[in-house]
Amino acid sequence: MLSYWEQYEPSIESMMLSQDANELDRMEKDEILSYLPPIKGRSILELGSGIGRFTEHLAENAKHLTTVDFMADYVEKNRQRHGHHAHVDFLRADVTELQFPAEKKFDVIFSNWLLMYLSDEEIKVLTRNMLSWLKDGGYLFIRESCFHPSGNIKLGSNPTFYRSPNEYFSLLQKEIGSCLSDDGGEDHHRSVFELSRANSVSAYVKAKGNPNQLCFLLKKMPYSAQEYESFQAFLDENQYSRKSILRYEKIFGPTYISTGGQETTIEFCKKLDLTPGQKVLDVGCGIGGSAFHMAREYGVEVRGVDLSTNMITLALENQAKQEEEVCFEITDITKAIFPDESFDVIYSRDTLLHIGDKETLFANFFKWLRPGGKVLISDYCRGDQEHSEHFLRYVAQRGYHLLTVPDYGTIFTKVGFASVEAKDVTDYFVDILHKETKFFSEQKEDFIKEFSAEDYNDILSGWQDKIQRCSEGDQAWGLFVAHK
């Protein structure tokens, strides 16, 4: 790695490996910094700081900043540019060997294009170290190139690791750090990184049609004696494992993971009066189908968000085959923060059934929408009746929070929406289920070759169960349109 970087002068072009680095830097810097947690008055560690593209901003806000890079020329260039800040320490060190005294703790660790130059084992060691360097509740921010290179400077030997987002999640979230006690031994306090958000850098989407520049924000959380698991992990490891998503895609259609696939997407989008340049938030965007459709057919700017890391990873893989420019983000929509009045449309398909506090969420939707904006949601609902035991077991197993169609619609009015349409479209839902079942049966042989007979029977019985629950009045499907 040392010989690799010795090929380049300490410049912004070498930092970004791009001939148009100055323009890219101008386009992306404010965006990158906007993804950071609050840093005013905090203690910050900047790893792989290079010539200090971000050092100035960090120094202006931090109570104390430590910047680290392993190339002497780059450290010296950074010192020349930013050494006037008395509260900044400039260290030349290899992050794989970096050590700090046990009592030295940071609020935030920042790195921009660092882990892609480390092996998996080096990242595992660094992850444990970063957990020990951070205060409880502290944040780790990283930005990496995923899947393939993004620069336009031709490389000779290239020792970079272009991982998938899921590979980073696995490396960063599976490691467990232990803090040192006063006598130098490990105490009982252990911690892990929990993903707060991950998203494409929109500047690269707009400038290069490249959604594979990913920012990750992780928070240091306590690790209990029991197995650590979040709701995100529950989704990724159960209902929305990669294999499960790919199985569902076979029945919904390419890039789709919601009822009716492209057919219902075309039909529902007609209700939105979309015009070029509008901004759309696609909540529970899955593997990208609706987002690609809206961007392609209407010329709107779509931000697709989903809590499942597997969904967004597949959405990014799908985008590599699409011409549409969509920004994808892994985030918990119940914890998301967007500026008020930043979207013209909020769109969600069969996702909010996972969320209990819909009133707070819809109040946020109202804030995030511009005046005159619309929200369109389709979602699983429950019938207005005494429910069967098998339906109650199904809802409990999936962790769903289902309302009747009228109750769902009432919440929109309660939080301030006007002209609320709450339609029970269960008959349409059942028609689609029959169509999808017929289509799925016709591709049985090919599906079994790719997956298995067990997988085929599992999907088929799942669709048949939905039809039965609807025919018995337990399950319903609601379509909701509301206006700000």
Side-chain angles (χ1 to χ4, degrees):
M1 195 60 70
L2 186 66
S3 61
Y4 171 74
W5 283 106
E6 284 176 341
Q7 301 175 76
Y8 305 105
E9 295 293 325
S11 66
I12 191 169
E13 287 79 12
S14 66
M15 290 290 297
M16 303 187 77
L17 295 176
S18 186
Q19 295 167 344
D20 52 354
N22 284 295
E23 179 64 13
L24 281 173
D25 179 64
R26 184 191 64 76
M27 291 178 64
E28 74 155 23
K29 186 176 286 184
D30 286 345
E31 180 187 355
I32 299 295
L33 294 170
S34 74
Y35 298 139
L36 295 180
I39 61 172
K40 193 73 174 177
R42 302 299 179 92
S43 176
I44 302 175
L45 172 62
E46 183 185 14
L47 298 178
S49 53
I51 63 172
R53 273 212 305 140
F54 294 96
T55 300
E56 181 69 23
H57 177 85
L58 299 176
E60 288 174 350
N61 287 276
K63 179 180 180 181
H64 187 274
L65 172 64
T66 300
T67 76
V68 182
D69 200 275
F70 82 129
M71 294 295 293
D73 289 350
Y74 286 71
V75 175
E76 185 55 32
K77 185 76 172 280
N78 195 5
R79 192 194 311 274
Q80 291 171 7
R81 298 175 66 197
H82 305 116
H84 58 282
H85 292 286
H87 62 296
V88 178
D89 292 330
F90 299 88
L91 300 183
R92 181 192 179 272
D94 183 338
V95 295
T96 64
E97 300 173 356
L98 185 62
Q99 298 293 329
F100 290 106
E103 66 275 9
K104 189 172 182 64
K105 300 288 183 183
F106 299 93
D107 296 295
V108 177
I109 297 176
F110 173 93
S111 76
N112 185 77
W113 289 321
L114 170 67
L115 303 189
M116 57 197 264
Y117 299 114
L118 303 180
S119 69
D120 287 0
E121 285 307 312
E122 287 171 332
I123 291 177
K124 290 177 182 179
V125 172
L126 180 60
T127 298
R128 287 192 290 270
N129 286 339
M130 290 190 296
L131 283 164
S132 70
W133 299 337
L134 275 173
K135 298 175 183 177
D136 291 344
Y139 285 93
L140 168 65
F141 174 89
I142 68 170
R143 181 271 191 91
E144 304 294 339
S145 297
C146 294
F147 298 117
H148 56 71
S150 297
N152 56 20
I153 290 180
K154 291 185 178 180
L155 305 172
S157 61
N158 185 1
T160 311
F161 297 90
Y162 296 107
R163 299 177 176 91
S164 71
N166 263 4
E167 288 175 301
Y168 280 116
F169 302 141
S170 178
L171 289 167
L172 292 164
Q173 293 186 279
K174 300 302 183 185
E175 289 303 311
I176 301 168
S178 299
C179 295
L180 296 176
S181 60
D182 293 336
D183 61 5
E186 289 188 358
D187 67 14
H188 66 282
H189 180 73
R190 308 176 82 196
S191 54
V192 293
F193 281 125
E194 181 179 78
L195 183 69
S196 295
R197 71 183 293 182
N199 54 280
S200 302
V201 178
S202 63
Y204 267 73
V205 175
K206 292 175 181 177
K208 294 175 175 284
N210 178 0
N212 300 319
Q213 287 292 315
L214 270 291
C215 294
F216 308 82
L217 183 64
L218 302 103
K219 187 175 184 180
K220 178 181 175 180
M221 302 291 288
Y223 176 88
S224 67
Q226 301 172 347
E227 183 179 357
Y228 175 79
E229 180 177 73
S230 63
F231 181 57
Q232 181 185 61
F234 168 78
L235 292 177
D236 279 335
E237 294 170 13
N238 295 280
Q239 187 173 357
Y240 301 129
S241 68
R242 185 180 177 94
K243 179 182 177 182
S244 294
I245 296 169
L246 293 175
R247 293 191 321 170
Y248 287 141
E249 187 184 23
K250 290 297 181 182
I251 193 167
F252 289 128
T255 75
Y256 286 99
I257 200 73
S258 58
T259 298
Q262 187 166 1
E263 177 187 334
T264 52
T265 298
I266 292 172
E267 189 66 28
F268 294 165
C269 285
K270 290 177 182 177
K271 300 176 181 293
L272 295 174
D273 301 316
L274 296 168
T275 57
Q278 286 187 315
K279 297 185 184 300
V280 178
L281 179 65
D282 184 354
V283 178
C285 63
I287 57 177
S290 291
F292 297 138
H293 173 79
M294 287 186 279
R296 179 175 59 250
E297 298 299 325
Y298 297 96
V300 294
E301 296 181 21
V302 187
R303 176 169 291 276
V305 301
D306 204 294
L307 180 59
S308 166
T309 64
N310 292 326
M311 290 286 197
I312 295 297
T313 297
L314 283 164
L316 290 168
E317 291 176 14
N318 286 332
Q319 179 143 29
K321 309 165 195 171
Q322 308 283 329
E323 294 182 1
E324 292 70 44
E325 298 177 359
V326 177
C327 290
F328 290 107
E329 177 175 329
I330 297 168
T331 194
D332 182 342
I333 195 62
T334 66
K335 300 175 183 177
I337 299 174
F338 295 108
D340 290 357
E341 300 183 4
S342 53
F343 298 103
D344 299 287
V345 168
I346 296 178
Y347 175 96
S348 181
R349 297 294 310 280
D350 306 341
T351 296
L352 306 187
L353 45 82
H354 293 291
I355 296 171
D357 186 3
K358 292 180 175 60
E359 183 174 335
T360 298
L361 179 63
F362 294 171
N364 284 334
F365 285 0
F366 189 82
K367 286 192 305 180
W368 297 339
L369 277 174
R370 294 169 178 162
K374 292 183 182 179
V375 59
L376 182 147
I377 294 170
S378 71
D379 210 6
Y380 284 19
C381 296
R382 63 178 178 85
D384 189 8
Q385 64 177 43
E386 193 74 25
H387 295 297
S388 62
E389 284 299 318
H390 70 83
F391 178 73
L392 295 175
R393 283 195 302 271
Y394 160 75
V395 171
Q397 178 192 20
R398 294 298 183 102
Y400 289 165
H401 302 273
L402 306 185
L403 303 175
T404 64
V405 172
D407 286 346
Y408 207 119
T410 297
I411 298 176
F412 283 107
T413 302
K414 185 176 181 181
V415 301
F417 282 98
S419 304
V420 177
E421 301 174 39
K423 294 184 178 180
D424 186 325
V425 290
T426 308
D427 289 344
Y428 182 37
F429 182 59
V430 172
D431 287 343
I432 293 167
L433 292 173
H434 281 300
K435 263 197 252 185
E436 289 174 338
T437 301
K438 181 176 182 297
F439 168 75
F440 190 59
S441 299
E442 291 170 352
Q443 58 170 340
K444 176 179 179 178
E445 186 176 335
D446 290 339
F447 183 91
I448 291 175
K449 283 180 183 177
E450 185 171 351
F451 296 96
S452 70
E454 182 182 358
D455 288 314
Y456 175 82
N457 292 329
D458 185 46
I459 292 289
L460 190 62
S461 65
W463 260 242
Q464 292 168 341
D465 288 345
K466 290 180 195 178
I467 293 170
Q468 181 179 350
R469 290 192 296 267
C470 289
S471 65
E472 292 174 350
D474 277 325
Q475 186 170 337
W477 200 42
L479 179 62
F480 310 93
V481 181
H483 302 251
K484 178 172 178 177

